[in-house]
């Protein structure tokens, strides 16, 4: 089955990515940080080390979604996540991108049993996204 790639980045610390990108453009890569290639999405991010990769298939109203997650927890117990979802072409052609992002947000709220603190609509390389701040039931902060 052919798949369209709708790049939905849910990056714990989307603003962290922007800060890291600014630091990289101004003074090079911050000490201890590494550029990590995300082959499935054909993009790169900065992280303070090498992330673990996990994959799963998520059943949705528009079909099965192949999900790849890159996660790293540093010495200060801060977790960095990049989530790349590949949606089926037939489903994406019928779906509203903002509704897909709403679903991703709602899924994260459900998984963390969290509450939304802030939400901002963003655009990255002409793709829509969300900058979310969530506090999980366990007190963990997600951004």
């Amino acid at each position: 089955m052919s798949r369209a790639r709708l790049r939905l980045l849910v990056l714990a610390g989307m603003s962290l990515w922007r800060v890291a990108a600014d630091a990289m453009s101004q003074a090079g890569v911050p000490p201890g940080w590494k550029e990590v290639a995300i082959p499935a999405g054909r993009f790169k991010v900065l992280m303070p080390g090498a992330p673990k990769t996990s994959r799963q298939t998520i059943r949705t109203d528009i079909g099965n979604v192949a999900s790849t997650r890159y996660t790293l927890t540093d010495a200060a117990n801060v977790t960095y996540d990049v989530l790349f979802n590949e949606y089926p072409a037939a489903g994406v052609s019928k779906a509203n991108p903002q509704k897909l992002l709403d679903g991703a947000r709602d899924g994260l709220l459900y998984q963390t049993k969290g509450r939304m603190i802030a939400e901002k609509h963003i655009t990255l390389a002409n793709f829509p996204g969300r900058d979310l701040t969530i506090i999980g039931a366990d007190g963990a902060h997600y951004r």
Side-chain angles (χ1 to χ4, degrees):
M1 171 191 283
S2 135
R3 294 198 179 260
R5 291 194 170 159
L6 177 61
R7 290 170 178 87
L8 296 177
L9 278 181
V10 178
L11 172 60
M14 184 59 83
S15 62
L16 175 63
W17 179 86
R18 286 180 285 203
V19 169
D22 289 346
M24 191 168 126
S25 66
Q26 295 172 8
V29 177
W33 285 65
K34 299 177 182 184
E35 191 174 81
V36 178
I38 309 298
R42 298 183 311 242
F43 61 92
K44 298 175 185 175
V45 296
L46 290 175
M47 288 185 140
K52 292 181 182 177
T53 304
S54 62
R55 292 176 177 79
Q56 69 177 359
T57 300
I58 303 168
R59 295 177 195 251
T60 72
D61 292 341
I62 63 170
N64 289 341
V65 174
S67 181
T68 306
R69 184 177 188 171
Y70 303 84
T71 305
L72 170 73
T73 301
D74 68 11
N77 205 30
V78 174
T79 300
Y80 303 86
D81 276 329
V82 174
L83 181 64
F84 178 81
N85 293 330
E86 192 170 357
Y87 288 83
V92 169
S93 66
K94 298 175 190 174
N96 175 318
Q98 294 303 328
K99 288 189 180 198
L100 290 173
L101 289 166
D102 288 346
R105 175 205 58 215
D106 295 346
L108 184 57
L109 285 166
Y110 177 79
Q111 289 176 352
T112 62
K113 296 176 180 56
R115 61 184 169 92
M116 181 76 64
I117 301 301
E119 178 177 22
K120 180 179 177 186
H121 293 244
I122 61 170
T123 302
L124 181 63
N126 294 321
F127 292 99
R130 300 284 173 86
D131 183 357
L132 307 172
T133 303
I134 296 171
I135 296 181
D138 61 357
H141 289 243
Y142 299 88
R143 181 144 193 254

